[in-house]
Amino acid sequence: PLPGDTRTLSFSADNSLVAAGISNTVTIWRTDTGQKLIDLVQPGEVWAGALSPDGRRLAASLTAGEIVLWDLAGRPISQTLPTGLGCLFSVEFSPDGAYLAAGGSRDGRTSYCTGAQIDVWDLTAGQERTPQPVVIRPTSVIFPNAVIATSFSPDGQRLAVAGNQGAAILDWATGPLAFTMTAHTASLNYLKYSPDGKYLVTTSNDQTAKIWDAQTGTELLSYPLSSRSVWAFFTPQARGVVIVTSGVRTFRLNAFGLDELITAARARLVRDWEPEECQKYLHGPCP
């Protein structure tokens, strides 16, 4: 079970490992047995974390505006990446592990975060020198204060980005936004590409999780929840989604089959949910 004050959650690409950040520690478990593998104590408060696709590295963002890279197979700490971010809310490895993206805002020294920014590092240069990030400053109105979450597409060419007022897809190497997604009615918390690149899932304080067509930005379904949704993850074959919701110092896992739920959601356009459909697909009574 996840402690109620867990701030960050990340899986390896094959879902065999999960890392959770609490206070100044990131704990890594095996998902098949629940065995705790290691506690990594950080030199500051952890606000976001990510396991590399191969599960051999961990990136943790700290309140000091730094990212610590842990080499889980060798030395305790690989290197520290300084950022131009005052508030640092997300870190994400590219699918091949060659790049690392961090999202937040430039100014976090005042009473609130302002100036949305993404830093992307090329990690292939090794440790001979400190890599300098590519700096992206999205100008869309959906980022009035900060970048909340990031997710690389499976081919690494695009970056999905969540802000206070919605989400966007951008070609990160060149900067322009491909399209925006603004159907949520409250601030977003997380977003994630499906392994096949077809879908994108977003979570929000509006007590819904939404599935989108990742090629067009079309909303495919909205999944109502009893509390705010904070994380969501696709299964390796993109056949299902696990949504994590937050209660009073507790978390709840909501799992469903993606294709079946999309079919049922489309049917909702012309009729109400049947009670048995709510039990099967929503795991509870109809909203």
Side-chain angles (χ1 to χ4, degrees):
L2 294 173
D5 53 354
T6 300
R7 288 178 179 161
T8 179
L9 195 66
S10 175
F11 288 84
S12 58
D14 61 2
N15 283 6
S16 65
L17 301 176
V18 61
I22 306 164
S23 185
N24 68 334
T25 302
V26 178
T27 301
I28 300 175
W29 290 275
R30 289 190 59 87
T31 56
D32 55 351
T33 64
Q35 176 191 4
K36 180 192 290 189
L37 298 181
I38 190 170
D39 284 325
L40 301 175
V41 179
Q42 310 294 324
E45 292 286 317
V46 177
W47 283 93
L51 282 167
S52 63
D54 60 9
R56 296 174 63 88
R57 287 186 294 177
L58 174 83
S61 71
L62 310 179
T63 51
E66 295 179 329
I67 294 177
V68 177
L69 280 174
W70 290 78
D71 182 354
L72 303 181
R75 296 187 302 173
I77 296 181
S78 316
Q79 60 190 132
T80 299
L81 301 176
T83 78
L85 300 171
C87 293
L88 220 171
F89 295 123
S90 71
V91 289
E92 178 82 7
F93 284 96
S94 62
D96 60 2
Y99 296 94
L100 183 74
S105 65
R106 298 187 295 279
D107 186 0
R109 314 295 178 184
T110 58
S111 59
Y112 58 91
C113 304
T114 58
Q117 181 170 310
I118 307 159
D119 290 355
V120 182
W121 288 268
D122 182 348
L123 301 179
T124 61
Q127 299 175 355
E128 294 76 16
R129 59 182 177 84
T130 301
Q132 296 301 308
V134 173
V135 176
I136 304 168
R137 295 176 177 174
T139 57
S140 171
V141 294
I142 67 175
F143 304 105
N145 301 316
V147 169
I148 306 300
T150 55
S151 179
F152 280 99
S153 61
D155 62 6
Q157 298 300 307
R158 286 186 164 186
L159 193 64
V161 186
N164 304 81
Q165 305 298 322
I169 304 291
L170 58 87
D171 296 312
W172 70 266
T174 56
L177 295 175
F179 49 79
T180 59
M181 298 163 284
T182 57
H184 282 289
T185 59
S187 179
L188 273 69
N189 295 313
Y190 197 75
L191 81 174
K192 196 73 173 179
Y193 264 104
S194 63
D196 58 9
K198 293 181 179 179
Y199 304 112
L200 192 75
V201 60
T202 56
T203 66
S204 170
N205 286 336
D206 65 6
Q207 297 186 195
T208 67
K210 293 181 183 293
I211 304 294
W212 309 80
D213 184 320
Q215 304 304 312
T216 65
T218 302
E219 180 185 344
L220 299 178
L221 67 92
S222 182
Y223 185 76
L225 299 154
S226 59
S227 57
R228 69 187 183 99
S229 52
V230 289
W231 300 297
F233 304 92
F234 285 93
T235 58
Q237 289 76 35
R239 294 178 180 173
V241 176
V242 176
I243 300 168
V244 184
T245 56
S246 176
V248 180
R249 298 186 65 82
T250 61
F251 292 100
R252 179 182 178 184
L253 300 181
N254 306 266
F256 57 82
L258 186 59
D259 292 337
E260 286 184 310
L261 192 56
I262 288 176
T263 299
R266 284 172 174 162
R268 193 182 184 188
L269 295 175
V270 295
R271 61 173 174 80
D272 292 332
W273 289 85
E274 298 293 338
E276 58 270 19
E277 289 177 321
C278 294
Q279 290 296 330
K280 180 177 181 180
Y281 298 114
L282 304 183
H283 309 287
C286 292

